[in-house]
């Protein structure tokens, strides 16, 4: 693996801020992200929000971030993925590798250090081709279209909805669909943004 994932720490604040600033135009057209937002993100971790940072193993750089937001337990056992990739790693496939680790962690049982979820969804603005590509590379199926779903950048934005269950994930080749494709996602946001 070229990447590793872990929960954000306060000590990551300067690396996170630099990555967000460097990638502001790349990520910001889909979702405004604050360079100093990591402190708040760390503070909000809990039952309904878990976050992961994706780091390049070789140089230690921040490849991307992912939030598992709106976590609901019980009979629903669902979470929503939102993610951002950061330059200069966009288009190298590292974000896809990191997201596979995140999805695996989401479906792994809680006793084994995972979230033990049954279903994940990704909601993406229809014009955000890179993030739709990420959902497809990970094996998520298109479920539908939700008009005026999220209020982003001063307007209610439509979203395409993708989903994946633990059973579907277990049945996929772990290299994942489109493994040969390079993975540079822009931003697939579902709330709980970084």
């Amino acid at each position: 693996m070229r990447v590793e994932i872990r929960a954000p720490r306060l000590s990551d604040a300067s690396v996170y801020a630099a990555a967000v600033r460097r990638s502001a135009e790349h990520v910001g057209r889909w979702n405004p992200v604050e360079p100093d937002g990591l402190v708040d993100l760390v503070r909000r971790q809990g039952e309904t929000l878990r976050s992961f940072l994706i780091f390049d193993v070789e140089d230690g750089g921040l490849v991307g971030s992912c939030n598992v937001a709106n976590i609901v337990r019980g009979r629903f056992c669902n979470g929503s993925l939102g993610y951002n990739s950061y330059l200069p790693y966009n288009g190298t496939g590292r974000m896809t590798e990191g997201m596979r680790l995140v999805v695996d962690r989401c479906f792994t049982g809680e006793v084994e250090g995972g979230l033990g979820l049954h279903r994940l969804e990704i909601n993406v603005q229809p014009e955000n081709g890179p993030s739709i590509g990420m959902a497809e590379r990970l094996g998520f199926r298109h479920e539908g279209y939700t008009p005026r779903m999220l209020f982003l950048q001063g307007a209610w934005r439509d979203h395409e909805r993708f989903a994946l269950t633990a059973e579907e994930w277990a049945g996929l080749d772990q290299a994942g669909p489109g493994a040969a494709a390079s993975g540079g996602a822009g931003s697939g946001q579902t709330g709980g943004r970084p």
Side-chain angles (χ1 to χ4, degrees):
M1 291 297 297
R2 297 181 295 169
V3 299
E4 61 187 6
I5 63 169
R6 66 168 170 77
R9 304 173 186 149
L10 291 176
S11 59
D12 297 320
S14 62
V15 171
Y16 179 86
V20 168
R21 283 189 191 99
R22 186 173 54 247
S23 307
E25 187 175 321
H26 165 68
V27 173
R29 63 187 166 167
W30 306 112
N31 180 51
V33 180
E34 297 299 322
D36 58 355
L38 187 79
V39 173
D40 183 54
L41 188 64
V42 170
R43 182 187 58 78
R44 294 184 315 146
Q45 297 301 296
E47 271 303 303
T48 62
L49 175 68
R50 295 302 258 318
S51 298
F52 298 92
L53 298 180
I54 301 167
F55 289 94
D56 183 86
V57 171
E58 187 176 315
D59 67 16
L62 184 58
V63 171
S65 61
C66 177
N67 290 324
V68 186
N70 308 318
I71 297 172
V72 178
R73 299 293 180 175
R75 292 182 177 171
F76 194 31
C77 209
N78 186 75
S80 298
L81 293 182
Y83 43 87
N84 291 312
S85 68
Y86 304 123
L87 301 174
Y89 303 98
N90 188 51
T92 67
R94 286 171 175 78
M95 187 67 183
T96 301
E97 289 176 26
M99 288 300 296
R100 285 194 180 107
L101 294 173
V102 169
V103 170
D104 200 55
R105 180 80 53 92
C106 288
F107 289 139
T108 301
E110 292 180 75
V111 234
E112 304 164 75
L115 299 181
L117 296 176
H118 176 256
R119 180 179 178 278
L120 291 171
E121 67 179 53
I122 296 173
N123 294 286
V124 182
Q125 293 177 55
E127 302 81 19
N128 189 344
S131 284
I132 289 173
M134 173 66 77
E136 292 169 345
R137 279 191 301 281
L138 293 172
F140 281 68
R141 65 188 141 65
H142 186 258
E143 279 196 331
Y145 176 81
T146 309
R148 299 171 302 283
M149 181 186 176
L150 284 177
F151 193 78
L152 294 168
Q153 298 178 316
W156 288 99
R157 306 290 178 179
D158 302 341
H159 282 69
E160 298 287 348
R161 187 177 59 259
F162 297 84
L164 181 69
T165 64
E167 295 87 356
E168 291 166 326
W169 180 250
L172 291 174
D173 173 1
Q174 288 310 304
S182 71
S187 171
Q189 285 301 322
T190 59
R193 51 174 241 250

